[in-house]
Amino acid sequence: MCGRYSFTLPPDAIRELFRVMTGLNLRPRYNIAPTQEAPVIGIDENGGRALKMYRWGLVPRWSKALPTGAPMINARAESIAEKPAFRDAFRKRRCLVPADGFYEWTKDKSSGDRRPWRIVAADRPGFAFAGIWEAWRDPAGGADAPIIRSFAIVTTSANSRIAPIHDRMPVMLPRAAEDAWIAADTPAERLQEMLAPYPAELTACHRVDTRVNSVRNDDPDCIKPLE
């Protein structure tokens, strides 16, 4: 599972790492949470990369209303090609979700407290999750209703570094796989091959303060390692 993540890179680093120009005034985000807007990268009409703001929590285009329960923030790699909520987006609407870390939690057996961990790619300052997106318009609002674009992050089984913390992890794409993930003509077999755990030796994690447990907190102290 991936329920919180961060993206704090400055514009110059975003351009260098993700080969995308943006006019968006992106502020550092230390604790991105479900239903909030976050940047994603796709292909524009000219075939280049484009960065846009989408809502985290996929809303299938056939939905009659915005979900009132838990948003669909993750799509399991094992069932993404068959599950009705995700299969169309997996075939036609894939995106990169830029990040520089994400959070998982363990439970303290003595107190029952949820202890957060920050997980990063040890080999680079930023990376992209494999994502899918959809465009939804409220059918009750007719043609004048605004279009809501939303996304989900693909998850897979955890590597050996993360497994003691959680049995799932988001798909962190190698840089060499990013273009193929968002290309329209990539075969389904190749797409499935990409949905693998990130190498354990390239993954690092550290404890962070429990302030990240609250979505109200979105500041540098959320990512600061505990001593």
Side-chain angles (χ1 to χ4, degrees), residues 118-219:
R118 176 168 161 81
I119 300 161
V120 301
D123 59 327
R124 48 185 173 153
F127 54 87
F129 297 131
I132 57 175
W133 68 274
E134 277 287 9
W136 177 83
R137 176 182 275 131
D138 187 348
D144 293 330
I147 294 175
I148 295 176
R149 290 178 172 82
S150 59
F151 72 95
I153 294 170
V154 186
T155 66
T156 186
S157 55
N159 64 32
S160 60
R161 182 65 60 83
I162 298 176
I165 302 172
H166 199 279
D167 62 352
R168 304 287 295 176
M169 68 177 295
V171 174
M172 302 160 65
L173 292 169
R175 187 171 299 182
E178 291 177 359
D179 284 338
W181 177 254
I182 55 178
D185 57 353
T186 303
E189 296 79 9
R190 172 70 179 116
L191 294 173
Q192 285 289 167
E193 291 171 359
M194 298 181 199
L195 303 182
Y198 203 64
E201 66 274 15
L202 300 180
T203 308
C205 55
H206 58 260
R207 285 280 313 282
V208 292
D209 193 89
T210 54
R211 65 180 288 102
V212 79
N213 293 6
S214 172
V215 299
R216 294 190 298 271
N217 298 322
D218 187 4
D219 55 62

Side-chain angles (χ1 to χ4, degrees), residues 84-140:
F86 303 132
R87 62 190 179 195
D88 236 23
F90 176 59
R91 287 200 308 266
K92 304 174 185 177
R93 290 175 288 279
R94 297 178 299 277
C95 61
L96 306 175
V97 182
D100 57 15
F102 66 97
Y103 304 98
E104 288 296 355
W105 282 261
T106 54
K107 181 173 285 190
D108 181 84
K109 293 182 179 179
S110 60
S111 65
D113 293 339
R114 296 175 71 234
R115 295 183 170 179
W117 294 76
R118 176 168 161 81
I119 300 161
V120 301
D123 59 327
R124 48 185 173 153
F127 54 87
F129 297 131
I132 57 175
W133 68 274
E134 277 287 9
W136 177 83
R137 176 182 275 131
D138 187 348

Side-chain angles (χ1 to χ4, degrees), residues 14-35:
I14 295 172
R15 287 192 291 269
E16 180 179 350
L17 287 172
F18 299 106
R19 307 194 331 268
V20 62
M21 299 293 293
T22 176
L24 298 176
N25 185 22
L26 295 178
R27 66 180 179 89
R29 296 295 312 279
Y30 301 91
N31 192 12
I32 299 172
T35 74

